[in-house]
Amino acid sequence: MAGLSAAPSATGRGTARRRSEVAAAQGGWAATTLRVLEFVAYPALAGCALLLLSLGVVTWLAALAATAHALQQWRTDGRARPFVGALAMFGHYWRRLWRHSILSTVAAALLAANIVFLATRSGAYAAALLALQIGLILALVPYHLALAVTAAGDPDGEAGRWGRAALLFAFAAPRRGLALLAAAVAVPLVTAPLAFGPLLLGATLPLLLGLRLADSTRRRGTVTAWVGTTGDRSDAAAARATERNGRPRERVR
């Protein structure tokens, strides 16, 4: 009788173990599915905020920086409010970037007008100028993405420091700039089958790529732009030169 009673209990424990394993597997799949959906839903929500904030035309750069900041908060702190976060930070970035935003908008409009004009002209001179204008437009794309990324990583900085940091981030290592440009071109094409995919994800996914590149760059310590200490390190280098040479050394600007 004892053996008969032990067998059902062992069978029950085995069944319970299998059920717990199945439940754990289902829970893992559910968590993975939710995580995948987050990587679509949260960038799309941030894209909604970006579109809304960009309705002012010249406000697009501050909106891009605010969106990058909201995405960075989601990545690092798990703040699942990219839409509200972008709206909350827009004023902060607008006060610092409005001059830069207006200048960039005017420059982009002039380049676009030149491209349209030169496309209707023939000749080697017109073709060379057209290639130059297209090259400038293509260079502006990774630069402004890098500007938004560096502004998100250094929210208390100033526009001038962000601009210098963005130049370093986008062009000091050509692979970073090319990666940002490729993402900006490829994402709208890949998301075109989705309803409003290019509008909602066309900028936010390249921003996420830029934030990830910035994290890896910061870990390697190869670019000072991301941490916003370019000026501090230049001052430190000047101080070290003074100690070595016994006389002040003018800082290179």
Side-chain angles (χ1 to χ4, degrees), residues 35-153:
R35 188 62 176 167
V36 171
L37 291 176
E38 283 182 3
F39 275 96
V40 177
Y42 290 155
L45 288 173
C48 289
L50 177 60
L51 288 177
L52 179 63
L53 295 171
S54 299
L55 291 178
V57 182
V58 295
T59 58
W60 63 271
L61 185 55
L64 195 68
T67 302
H69 185 272
L71 289 172
Q72 179 68 359
Q73 292 298 310
W74 166 57
R75 292 178 66 249
T76 58
D77 300 334
R79 298 182 185 178
R81 299 190 305 166
F83 182 85
V84 176
L87 295 181
M89 291 299 296
F90 172 74
H92 173 83
Y93 285 111
W94 172 249
R95 287 189 295 271
R96 289 164 170 78
L97 289 173
W98 67 269
R99 294 182 182 88
H100 199 320
S101 185
I102 293 174
L103 181 62
S104 295
T105 304
V106 172
L110 288 176
L111 288 174
N114 289 341
I115 289 174
V116 172
F117 174 76
L118 292 171
T120 61
R121 298 295 185 268
S122 59
Y125 184 69
L129 286 178
L130 179 61
L132 176 62
Q133 307 297 311
I134 294 176
L136 290 174
I137 284 283
L138 295 179
L140 288 177
V141 173
Y143 166 73
H144 285 101
L145 287 172
L147 179 61
V149 168
T150 53

Side-chain angles (χ1 to χ4, degrees), residues 16 27 44 55 59 67 81 109 124 126 155 162-163 169-170 182 185 187-188 197 207 211-212 215 218 222 228 239 247:
L55 291 178
T59 58
T67 302
R81 299 190 305 166
W162 293 338
F169 184 80
V185 173
V187 169
L207 284 176
L211 292 170
R212 185 175 182 84
D215 286 345
R218 179 178 55 179
T222 55
R247 56 185 176 83

